[in-house]
Amino acid sequence: NRMKRARARHKPCALKELEVSVSELGLGYESDEIVLFRYCTGTCETAIRNYDLSLKNMRLKKKIKKEKVRARPCCRPLAYDDDVSFLDTYNRYYTVNELSAKECGCV
Amino acid sequence: MILANVFCILLFLDKILHSPASGQDPHGWRTPVDCVRANELCAAESSCSSRYRTLRQCLAGRDRNTMLANKECQAALEVLQESSLYDCHCKRGMKKELQCLQIYWSIHLGLTEGEEFYEASPYEPVTSRLSDIFRLASIFSGMDPATNSKSNHCLDAAKACNLNDNCKRLRSAYISTCSKEISATEHCNRRKCHKALRQFFDRVPSEYTYRLLFCSCKDPACAERRRQTIVPSCSYEDKEKPNCLDLRNMCRTDHLCRSRLADFHTNCQVSFQSLTSCPGDNYQACLGAYAGMIGFDMTPNYIDSSIASITVSPWCSCRGSGNMEEECEKFLRDFTENPCLRNAIQAFGNGTDVNLSPKNPSLPVTLPPETEKSPALPDDINDSNTIYDTSVITTCTSVQEHGPKLNKSKEHSLCFSETLLTTDIMPDQKTFVDQKASGSRHSARGILSGLPFLLVKLAL
């Protein structure tokens, strides 16, 4: 079981999808309409660049102290899906943009 | 086998009965061609093309009677009745649909006698059935409209659409266009809204669009959602309700609107020869013709969110009809009190269809699947021209537009899968009957096309 979890944690960055109601998105809209929510998940170990290694070392050597830095690549959307429109419980239409990921990458 | 033979004979009989001028077609069979192709064939023949040019000149700006008074025009019309231009048809959502319809009406306006109440449809007869849609719908979504009786079917339909990329994209496109407020005075851009609605209904397979449009409801909230499907505040309602006959005249000045209305009249006209009140007991054809009017001047919708009675109507009334009151009421009743349309909507909501014993008996000719894709227009935003543009930016192109970040192989797989999808789930556009339907003998055709079905049923 632990092996399974470990392997899951080491899955490379990729797109996953979830069917959720618009209300569950927590954006303040009330609607029972189900939408497809695509998100990015996975690790980016293979995408570590010399930049990341150097930055890490600079921090270790206290050359960078106060600033906030991120010394490892992050699994994020490279592109977002088209707009999503829905009808809410009060029969008004809404359109939200950049709700869902379209392509993921380590950036 | 015997049945098939019986049917072939019936079809042949049907043909002979339909032939407007005997001897025009010595073989009895002519492969149906669309009007764009027929026009090409005519252009290749010098006698045909010169007659066609003459006829077009004859019809330009003149009514039928003055045209027929001219010998040359009459001769041109007679010759053209024997060319393939005479019985050509168009397909819904085909490439160059407007051009095809322009060619169709250029001949048929000269053939019809004045302002007919019902006009024959320029579109090919629909041979697919509702049951085909149900089968596909269950394959694609795993949700059978008949199974869970508790749920809100219109909400389920929205879910099914949202989970399909193509449906979601085109639905969001029309919703955002139709609900975008322009200014305090102008509620929305109706023209753009209609265009986006047409793209949705032309490009999304009917198992998605029909489910949104014809879902069955058990409570008012559901029925209100159904009424809201086409964003009626923009696409349907207007400040004033015009007179229905004025609206019809306006629709008839536009080739596409005129064709869609004629298609509705052909496929939803109440028939007393059939059990379902529909011509040829074909619900699918009626629902398709109804949906085909959405996005034009004659856009129909549910008049309220009542669940007891389903009443649809275009945005018009019979006030101010003068001495045309009766004709106006007759026109309006084809929407509001049409048992064929009502039965078709209810049958779709219940997931039932007419049980025809030999399933799809009318399929002697099956064309090889061929995807009809219109070229994508990158300048979609610029739609200042009044010419209808039925093309749409496909998934492929929209991906390509997002361009440089994406790698090539992904683009191709996306385009490919979408093409496959459209081929698979739109059988109604790929197959058609080799049935010659005469243009002007429209009312007779309605009865006769039902005849083979009835006789086959009797033979069983």
Side-chain angles (χ1 to χ4, degrees):
Chain A
N1 209 1
R2 190 185 291 172
M3 276 291 283
K4 226 184 234 174
R5 237 179 299 152
R7 222 181 297 142
R9 239 180 288 144
H10 286 93
K11 266 199 182 141
C13 177
L15 201 62
K16 269 182 94 174
E17 58 185 40
L18 209 56
E19 291 175 21
V20 289
S21 80
V22 171
S23 298
E24 284 171 317
L25 294 171
L27 296 173
Y29 301 106
E30 282 178 59
S31 173
D32 294 330
E33 224 173 271
I34 306 288
V35 292
L36 199 61
F37 180 72
R38 292 197 175 101
Y39 61 99
C40 297
T41 175
T43 59
C44 286
E45 266 140 50
T46 52
I48 291 175
R49 301 162 175 90
N50 284 328
Y51 166 81
D52 299 299
L53 293 171
S54 311
L55 189 66
K56 209 169 159 186
N57 291 328
M58 290 310 111
R59 203 167 48 188
L60 285 173
K61 290 184 175 150
K62 310 273 189 217
K63 293 239 179 194
I64 297 170
K65 280 178 277 189
K66 285 178 184 162
E67 294 139 294
K68 254 193 122 161
V69 289
R70 189 172 176 88
R72 57 170 65 167
C74 199
C75 179
R76 289 281 301 167
L78 295 178
Y80 292 90
D81 224 339
D82 305 305
D83 294 354
V84 179
S85 296
F86 55 88
L87 187 71
D88 77 353
T89 36
Y90 307 102
N91 293 308
R92 284 173 308 205
Y93 277 113
Y94 289 99
T95 303
V96 290
N97 59 3
E98 300 193 332
L99 171 70
S100 188
K102 191 177 191 169
E103 209 196 352
C104 302
C106 294
V107 289
Chain B
M1 199 55 220
I2 299 162
L3 257 177
N5 282 330
V6 167
F7 185 74
C8 284
I9 293 162
L10 282 173
L11 209 93
F12 190 67
L13 272 173
D14 200 44
K15 246 169 200 313
I16 292 170
L17 288 165
H18 277 157
S19 291
S22 56
Q24 87 166 70
D25 204 357
H27 306 292
W29 301 96
R30 181 146 67 186
T31 40
V33 287
D34 71 54
C35 297
V36 177
R37 179 81 190 112
N39 188 33
E40 283 166 8
L41 291 173
C42 182
E45 228 181 285
S46 62
S47 69
C48 181
S49 64
S50 71
R51 303 287 177 156
Y52 184 45
R53 228 174 305 129
T54 309
L55 184 74
R56 288 180 83 138
Q57 277 163 2
C58 288
L59 281 165
R62 261 177 278 182
D63 66 72
R64 177 187 153 83
N65 290 331
T66 39
M67 185 201 93
L68 286 183
N70 184 320
K71 274 249 165 66
E72 212 179 317
C73 294
Q74 213 175 337
L77 192 58
E78 271 164 26
V79 169
L80 284 174
Q81 282 187 5
E82 288 173 37
S83 79
S84 51
L85 270 172
Y86 173 70
D87 48 10
C88 67
H89 282 89
C90 302
K91 276 190 228 182
R92 279 264 298 277
M94 69 185 283
K95 205 157 58 175
K96 300 180 185 168
E97 182 180 352
L98 182 61
Q99 194 195 334
C100 184
L101 293 169
Q102 277 165 342
I103 295 164
Y104 177 90
W105 289 111
S106 71
I107 292 220
H108 287 263
L109 281 183
L111 292 173
T112 51
E113 298 197 26
E115 295 281 288
E116 276 186 5
F117 192 88
Y118 294 123
E119 292 179 317
S121 171
Y123 293 106
E124 274 167 12
V126 173
T127 53
S128 58
R129 294 272 157 185
L130 275 190
S131 33
D132 299 340
I133 290 193
F134 299 143
R135 208 181 51 239
L136 286 164
S138 54
I139 291 169
F140 275 90
S141 60
M143 288 185 290
D144 193 332
T147 48
N148 41 351
S149 55
K150 258 188 183 174
S151 65
N152 178 335
H153 291 319
C154 298
L155 199 57
D156 291 345
K159 176 183 173 181
C161 180
N162 286 341
L163 298 187
N164 174 280
D165 280 331
N166 188 42
C167 187
K168 188 206 76 179
R169 188 169 51 83
L170 289 170
R171 176 172 179 253
S172 297
Y174 83 72
I175 289 174
S176 57
T177 310
C178 298
S179 53
K180 193 184 280 165
E181 208 164 302
I182 296 175
S183 63
T185 48
E186 214 179 345
H187 177 61
C188 67
N189 188 330
R190 193 186 176 99
R191 198 172 44 80
K192 279 190 178 170
C193 169
H194 276 176
K195 186 184 168 187
L197 275 166
R198 288 199 299 273
Q199 290 187 336
F200 177 73
F201 285 103
D202 280 345
R203 298 286 157 179
V204 177
S206 46
E207 61 263 31
Y208 294 108
T209 58
Y210 287 13
R211 280 181 80 184
L212 282 165
L213 203 54
F214 307 120
C215 41
S216 67
C217 285
K218 290 191 175 68
D219 63 276
C222 169
E224 178 58 18
R225 175 175 271 279
R226 179 174 63 193
R227 194 185 75 83
Q228 290 284 350
T229 301
I230 63 165
V231 200
S233 61
C234 183
S235 69
Y236 180 62
E237 291 153 24
D238 211 342
K239 284 166 213 135
E240 291 155 56
K241 258 193 182 177
N243 179 274
C244 292
L245 295 180
D246 291 345
L247 191 66
R248 182 180 67 176
N249 289 341
M250 197 154 85
C251 176
R252 280 187 173 176
T253 59
D254 175 278
H255 284 315
L256 266 161
C257 188
R258 182 179 205 138
S259 306
R260 300 298 173 96
L261 180 62
D263 197 45
F264 174 73
H265 279 149
T266 302
N267 291 306
C268 296
Q269 200 181 141
V270 181
S271 157
F272 299 104
Q273 271 77 28
S274 61
L275 297 164
T276 58
S277 306
C278 281
D281 286 318
N282 193 339
Y283 283 149
Q284 160 84 23
C286 177
L287 294 181
Y290 174 90
M293 285 189 297
I294 293 169
F296 296 96
D297 288 334
M298 204 53 83
T299 299
N301 196 27
Y302 300 93
I303 58 162
D304 54 34
S305 51
S306 83
I307 42 166
S309 68
I310 294 173
T311 309
V312 297
S313 164
W315 186 257
C316 67
S317 79
C318 280
R319 251 175 303 169
S321 296
N323 58 1
M324 302 282 272
E325 178 94 34
E326 213 172 298
E327 191 177 350
C328 182
E329 292 290 350
K330 183 178 181 241
F331 176 80
L332 190 54
R333 268 201 306 275
D334 280 331
F335 292 91
T336 56
E337 291 166 44
N338 183 331
C340 162
L341 181 59
R342 190 167 303 171
N343 289 342
I345 293 174
Q346 271 163 356
F348 183 81
N350 300 335
T352 52
D353 195 5
V354 204
N355 214 353
L356 283 170
S357 300
K359 207 178 151 290
N360 275 348
S362 48
L363 281 171
V365 173
T366 307
L367 284 189
E370 179 191 323
T371 36
E372 193 109 55
K373 281 252 175 209
S374 48
L377 285 192
D379 53 340
D380 191 53
I381 319 102
N382 168 29
D383 66 345
S384 51
N385 53 340
T386 46
I387 298 167
Y388 289 105
D389 162 33
T390 45
S391 65
V392 71
I393 296 179
T394 58
T395 307
C396 315
T397 47
S398 74
V399 169
Q400 277 153 358
E401 269 176 0
H402 287 288
K405 286 180 211 149
L406 297 164
N407 67 40
K408 279 277 171 208
S409 65
K410 194 138 193 184
E411 276 172 38
H412 285 293
S413 68
L414 241 166
C415 296
F416 187 57
S417 67
E418 209 197 19
T419 318
L420 266 179
L421 189 74
T422 39
T423 327
D424 282 340
I425 55 195
M426 289 168 109
D428 48 317
Q429 300 208 343
K430 315 301 168 212
T431 55
F432 61 86
V433 195
D434 177 18
Q435 183 182 42
K436 180 148 48 72
S438 67
S440 53
R441 314 291 158 92
H442 155 65
S443 50
R445 186 177 108 209
I447 300 161
L448 283 170
S449 59
L451 195 67
F453 298 114
L454 280 172
L455 286 173
V456 168
K457 268 188 161 176
L458 282 174
L460 277 174

